[in-house]
């Protein structure tokens, strides 16, 4: 399924369940949020997003533990999980919504061309969090920066939809 169709399906699924969405992006640099707001009616469910590209932004904006980032690096499954959980909680609190009603989605990884934190280009983690349910997927994409970011965006949207379908 293409990114626009994934975004449409996700928005409809959130709407049907009375849920909201927040995103925390690193590697995708706002691309997930962009795909969401491309869909008419996204404002019914989309609370907002944070592009925490720099490691310092992950700690400052999202409250990700400095210890976690120092020990694992920014390209890590636990970092992705914490980004998704934190953005859901922070947007819920800021927008007056119960945190159990906000789906958090995140992306972190290496678009390339060089490696980062000992991880080769194409290494990507996406996460989705709703309440206590957190799912993280790891990918090793092949392609240039744009291709890696596009694949990461599609997989983040896909994971969010998949988590909702399990409810």
């Amino acid at each position: 399924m293409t990114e626009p169709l994934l975004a449409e399906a996700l928005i409809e699924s959130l709407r049907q369940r009375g849920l909201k969405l927040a995103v925390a992006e690193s590697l995708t640099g706002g691309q997930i949020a962009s795909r969401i707001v491309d869909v008419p009616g996204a404002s019914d469910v989309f609370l907002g997003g944070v592009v925490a590209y720099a490691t310092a932004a992950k700690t400052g904006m999202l409250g990700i533990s400095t210890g976690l980032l120092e020990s694992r690096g920014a390209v890590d499954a636990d970092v992705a999980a914490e980004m998704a959980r934190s953005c859901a909680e922070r947007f819920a609190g800021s927008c007056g919504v119960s945190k159990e009603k906000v789906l958090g989605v995140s992306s972190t990884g290496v678009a390339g061309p060089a490696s980062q934190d000992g991880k080769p280009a194409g290494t990507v983690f996406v996460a989705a969090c709703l309440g206590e349910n957190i799912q993280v997927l790891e990918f090793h994409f092949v392609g240039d920066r744009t291709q890696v970011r596009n694949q990461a965006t599609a997989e983040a949207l896909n994971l969010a939809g998949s988590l909702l379908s399990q409810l």
Side-chain angles (χ1 to χ4, degrees):
M1 194 179 298
T2 66
E3 290 171 32
L5 292 177
L6 287 167
E8 281 183 36
L10 177 59
I11 288 168
E12 185 55 33
S13 184
L14 289 161
R15 188 180 288 121
Q16 288 174 359
R17 291 169 172 77
L19 300 173
K20 303 293 183 185
L21 174 67
V23 299
E25 302 183 62
S26 182
L27 147 99
T28 50
Q31 196 167 298
I32 297 168
S34 180
R35 294 302 178 271
I36 294 295
V37 301
D38 282 345
V39 178
S43 60
D44 292 344
V45 300
F46 188 54
L47 298 177
V50 172
V51 176
Y53 204 69
T55 300
K58 291 173 182 65
T59 58
M61 299 298 296
L62 295 170
I64 307 303
S65 160
T66 304
L68 175 62
L69 289 164
E70 287 175 356
S71 67
R72 303 275 185 87
V75 182
D76 180 78
D78 290 339
V79 171
E82 283 300 302
M83 288 173 65
R85 182 196 54 74
S86 178
C87 80
E89 289 179 358
R90 288 173 183 244
F91 274 94
S94 294
C95 297
V97 178
S98 165
K99 71 178 183 176
E100 291 78 25
K101 294 281 190 179
V102 179
L103 172 65
V105 177
S106 71
S107 68
T108 189
V110 186
S115 63
Q116 178 184 337
D117 299 331
K119 306 284 186 354
T123 304
V124 172
F125 294 91
V126 296
C129 172
L130 183 62
E132 297 302 314
N133 189 351
I134 300 177
Q135 295 181 7
V136 182
L137 295 176
E138 178 178 356
F139 297 95
H140 298 276
F141 297 127
V142 176
D144 63 22
R145 287 180 60 79
T146 299
Q147 292 167 324
V148 169
R149 292 175 64 241
N150 288 342
Q151 291 172 89
T153 297
E155 291 299 346
L157 293 168
N158 195 39
L159 176 59
S162 177
L163 186 144
L164 289 178
S165 71
Q166 297 170 21
L167 298 180

